[in-house]
Amino acid sequence: MTNSPFRDDVLAGKSAFIAGGTSGINLGIAKRFAALGAKVAVAGRNPEKAAAAAAEIGSGALGLSADVRDYGAIRAAMEQAHHANGPFDIVISGAAGNFLAPALGMSANAFRTVIDIDLNGTFNVFRGCHDLLAADASVIAITAPQGENAMTMQAHACAAKAGINRLIGVLALEWGPHVRVNGISPGPIEGTEGMARLAPDATLKAAHEARIAMKRWGTCHEVAEAAVFLSTSAASYVTGTVIDVDGGTSKGDAARAV
Ligand code: HXC
Ligand code: NAP
């Protein structure tokens, strides 16, 4: 891979479980992990999508079907991955749902649905993986600038990602020193479902870009590199924090609404 400081075998033999790893940013992480030698399992709701993702990742990756809102289902998927690949060195909680709507345009069920997928789903993945972890494991939640910044049309995602950010700190305290718990907060990432929903036209995209320090959207590869960093000994003293991979999205003017 061009533009990477990581050796091709930096994750050799590591076992990784990625909830929500069947498309977009998380699939990008899964592919990068496999390319660097990890044994990878990904899970999403749709079994055909999970199978296609596993084929795209290659290297014997497992594609599993489970809804993170269902503790028993996601736990069963993790047990299957653990049985195949061994104790997890890396667990990623990346499943999320999002749509643009003002708070008054959301039913109680609409708000609850995003909280359930993002926040409760992350609790389920983290709670469910703990006794399946290897020594010195790295556990990572994929959060978003919404976790720090209020944004119009994003009451559900802002509340959910803020909850995830605080959960990261609590679990880092409770699970140290042998488990590190961190988050990655991507900014707008090219070619993803998330940005197709949040900036569906060229005008909105240009407005986004103008407010970002780097003046462009990021790539799945750039997010994956942060996940690799957090999963190596280079991050051995990094826990309880959120790394912004957002080109400066969360600073100053760029932190404003969608
Ligand atoms: C208002 C909406 C809505 C909308 C759905 N709902 N879309 N309300 N505006 N645009 C309401 C529904 O009417 C329903 O409420 C409730 O939400 C649940 O909808 P369901 O379709 O029954 O839920 P479900 O099948 O579980 O699907 C969940 C979903 C869906 C979140 C609604 O969009 C989904 O599966 N998304 C996964 C993919 C995704 O969103 N990827 C992007 C992640 S990106 P009622 O009251 O009618 O029952 C991301 C970006 C972050 O997070 C940051 C970027 C910078
Ligand atoms: P995406 O392509 O829609 O990926 C979402 C993944 O989660 C898919 O694998 C999806 O598969 C799975 N998923 C959704 N609901 C699930 C559920 N209830 N149970 C299990 N799996 C579920 O999204 P993306 O845009 O790449 O975003 C990925 C992550 O990055 C999210 O956490 C998002 O909040 C974060 N993020 C994205 C951006 C961006 O620019 N896109 C920016 C900041 C943060 P199924 O549909 O088959 O379930």
Side-chain angles (χ1 to χ4, degrees):
M1 173 61 66
T2 53
N3 221 5
S4 177
F6 297 112
R7 273 192 1 216
D8 284 352
D9 62 351
V10 73
L11 298 180
K14 303 272 189 199
S15 167
F17 181 88
I18 305 178
T22 63
S23 63
I25 290 172
N26 308 315
L27 175 58
I29 294 172
K31 286 160 71 174
R32 187 77 186 118
F33 279 6
L36 297 176
K39 296 172 282 183
V40 172
V42 293
R45 289 167 299 180
N46 181 322
E48 290 81 30
K49 193 172 152 184
E56 190 176 335
I57 296 162
S59 308
L62 285 180
L64 304 169
S65 173
D67 191 321
V68 294
R69 292 170 284 191
D70 179 342
Y71 181 83
I74 194 66
R75 168 73 190 186
M78 289 195 276
E79 286 175 357
Q80 205 180 325
H82 180 268
H83 182 72
N85 293 340
F88 304 139
D89 301 284
I90 310 160
V91 171
I92 296 191
S93 173
N98 203 341
F99 45 81
L100 285 177
L104 294 179
M106 282 177 207
S107 66
N109 188 44
F111 184 83
R112 181 169 48 241
T113 296
V114 171
I115 298 289
D116 261 354
I117 301 171
D118 295 30
L119 178 57
N120 297 340
T122 294
F123 180 82
N124 290 344
V125 171
F126 285 2
R127 174 71 184 83
C129 77
H130 188 267
D131 67 340
L132 305 177
L133 294 175
D136 301 317
S138 172
V139 171
I140 302 167
I142 307 301
T143 176
Q146 281 85 334
E148 288 298 322
N149 306 310
M151 296 185 193
T152 55
M153 319 280 272
Q154 290 285 275
H156 47 6
C158 287
K161 297 295 194 183
I164 289 172
N165 290 358
R166 188 52 56 92
L167 182 63
I168 286 165
V170 172
L171 297 187
L173 290 171
E174 292 189 358
W175 293 357
H178 297 300
V179 180
R180 291 180 300 105
V181 184
N182 291 292
I184 296 173
S185 177
I189 301 300
E190 289 285 359
T192 60
E193 179 63 27
M195 290 321 293
R197 289 170 182 236
L198 297 190
D201 62 50
T203 311
L204 272 172
K205 182 170 192 262
H208 260 283
E209 284 175 350
R211 298 204 302 265
I212 299 172
M214 297 300 288
K215 302 297 174 208
R216 64 173 177 83
W217 287 8
T219 65
C220 291
H221 176 72
E222 288 172 317
V223 181
E225 291 293 88
V228 176
F229 164 71
L230 285 174
S231 305
T232 68
S233 59
S236 55
Y237 203 52
V238 181
T239 195
T241 197
V242 173
I243 297 181
D244 295 329
V245 184
D246 69 357
T249 299
S250 51
K251 303 292 176 291
D253 270 0
R256 279 191 296 114
V258 173

